[in-house]
Amino acid sequence: MATIKRYPWLSHFLGSPTGYVIHLQKGTVRHEGVGQAFWFRPASSVLSEVPVDDQELPTLFHAITRDHQDVSVQANVTYRFSDPVSVASRLDFALQPGGASTAAGREQVATIIGQLCQSHAIDQIAATTLAQSLERGVSELRTLLTGALQANARLQSTGIEILGVQVLAVRPESDVERALQTPVREQLQAEADRAVYERRAVAVERERTISENEMASKIELAARRENLVAQEGANARREAQEQAAANLIKAHAEAERQGIGATSEASSLQLIGEATAAREAATMEVYKNMDQATLLALAFREAAASLPNINNLTITPDILSGVLAGLFQPASSTAEQPGLPSGLPSTGR
């Protein structure tokens, strides 16, 4: 932005690096260029400052499609003043006394470029339907407006150079836009619902698979338990059979042992009986040849072994005389006495 300092009868101008200043004094150019600094007389001087940097011009306008639908076009035009002298001679960029430029020149440029963009865009959109405009309107309008503005004779003669055109959006009315969005939204919602249903179906399928696996595991465990019970029963039966066979063998062995013991005992008794009988026979054979007195003495000895203990024994003369008489009496007379066993003398009390 340029700076003007006022003094009595004179003023000083200090330009900016992006402003092209033109100093006219009485219709003659005294100073021009970028970054100028000079003194001038306000009463006889006219100053104009044209910006030489890139300018951005946003524009918004409406158009009607072939199917009678209203669409809004939002665009942005980038331009610059390539010939500041021509621009200053045809547009109002005069400086005010304080150094600020008027807005008339910029407004004129905005009007010219906006009308050109709108006229070309309306012609293009009027030949297309709403669907076509929304589908490829941005790219087609960008190409059309760039070529049309760059080739416009008025802009070239004025010294305005179009650097580029950007079409930002081509949008229908709000209710039409919502109506157009509805099928897509419904389709997206349907896709979302389908995804939810598929996820639920997958979850149900996985749950069913898990349940089947659990059931199969339970069946497998039950089968294994059945096999285990059967094996345990078979083992118990086999153990009982083996125990019964062992008990039977033990019983047979015990019976055989008892039979052998009984046979051995019977043989022993038989041998003892035979030995006893032989001994008795031998004893009787010996007794047969003994006299009566000797047999009587032996009988008393055997009887004495089985008699109770006798602490006192009284022998009277009668008993002694009888015994002595019996000892010296012949055996024949003694045997003939009735009531006395054989070999025992008769005694009197």
Side-chain angles (χ1 to χ4, degrees):
M1 179 178 177
T3 303
I4 298 177
K5 295 182 179 181
R6 300 179 64 86
Y7 300 95
W9 302 290
L10 288 176
S11 297
H12 185 269
F13 174 83
L14 179 62
S16 64
T18 59
Y20 191 97
V21 65
I22 300 173
H23 176 209
L24 298 176
Q25 187 175 8
K26 295 181 181 181
T28 304
V29 177
R30 295 296 184 181
H31 301 89
E32 65 175 330
V34 177
Q36 295 291 316
F38 52 86
W39 295 90
F40 65 95
R41 291 179 180 182
S44 61
S45 298
V46 176
L47 299 178
S48 299
E49 186 182 27
V50 179
V52 294
D53 56 343
D54 294 345
Q55 303 294 313
E56 299 292 338
L57 176 62
T59 179
L60 177 65
F61 51 88
H62 292 266
I64 303 299
T65 62
R66 189 175 63 186
D67 49 358
H68 308 289
Q69 297 295 324
D70 185 14
V71 295
S72 60
V73 180
Q74 182 180 358
N76 186 75
V77 181
T78 303
Y79 66 95
R80 63 184 291 269
F81 297 108
S82 60
D83 189 357
V85 177
S86 298
V87 172
S89 63
R90 300 184 65 173
L91 302 176
D92 185 8
F93 282 93
L95 287 177
Q96 297 177 357
S101 61
T102 61
R106 294 179 183 271
E107 292 178 356
Q108 290 174 347
V109 174
T111 301
I112 295 171
I113 295 178
Q115 289 178 353
L116 290 174
C117 291
Q118 185 173 1
S119 63
H120 291 289
I122 289 176
D123 293 339
Q124 174 66 23
I125 293 175
T128 60
T129 61
L130 175 63
Q132 294 173 349
S133 298
L134 297 178
E135 182 179 357
R136 59 178 184 270
V138 173
S139 60
E140 290 181 352
L141 288 177
R142 180 174 61 249
T143 304
L144 174 65
L145 294 179
T146 301
L149 293 178
Q150 288 179 352
N152 186 265
R154 182 180 179 183
L155 295 179
Q156 292 179 358
S157 62
T158 307
I160 300 174
E161 180 183 0
I162 302 299
L163 301 179
V165 178
Q166 298 297 329
V167 179
L168 304 179
V170 177
R171 301 185 62 179
E173 294 180 347
S174 59
D175 53 348
V176 176
E177 186 175 11
R178 286 194 298 270
L180 293 175
Q181 293 173 353
T182 299
V184 179
R185 290 179 178 177
E186 293 296 333
Q187 183 179 0
L188 295 177
Q189 186 63 38
E191 292 293 331
D193 295 340
R194 186 177 60 83
V196 172
Y197 296 149
E198 289 180 355
R199 184 168 62 252
R200 290 180 179 177
V202 171
V204 171
E205 182 66 21
R206 290 180 179 177
E207 290 180 358
R208 185 181 64 82
T209 304
I210 293 174
S211 300
E212 291 179 354
N213 293 335
E214 291 179 353
M215 186 177 297
S217 299
K218 290 182 180 180
I219 294 174
E220 182 67 19
L221 291 176
R224 292 184 179 182
R225 183 174 180 80
E226 181 181 1
N227 295 334
L228 179 62
V229 171
Q231 187 64 36
E232 289 180 350
N235 294 338
R237 289 193 300 272
R238 185 177 299 175
E239 184 177 359
Q241 292 175 358
E242 295 294 335
Q243 186 66 30
N247 293 334
L248 181 60
I249 294 173
K250 184 177 180 181
H252 284 311
E254 184 66 22
E256 290 181 359
R257 186 181 63 77
Q258 291 180 358
I260 293 172
T263 303
S264 176
E265 185 178 359
S267 299
S268 298
L269 292 176
Q270 182 179 0
L271 293 176
I272 292 172
E274 290 178 355
T276 302
R279 187 184 66 181
E280 291 294 334
T283 301
M284 295 304 295
E285 185 67 24
V286 173
Y287 285 168
K288 183 175 67 173
N289 297 325
M290 287 185 180
D291 54 3
Q292 184 176 4
T294 304
L295 293 174
L296 184 60
L298 292 174
F300 275 112
R301 188 182 67 180
E302 292 181 359
S306 59
L307 291 176
N309 294 329
I310 301 175
N311 296 325
N312 296 315
L313 179 63
T314 302
I315 302 176
T316 62
D318 297 334
I319 296 173
L320 183 60
S321 62
V323 171
L324 292 176
L327 291 174
F328 293 101
Q329 187 176 358
S332 60
S333 59
T334 304
E336 295 176 357
Q337 294 182 4
L340 294 174
S342 178
L344 293 178
S346 62
T347 58
R349 302 260 325 161

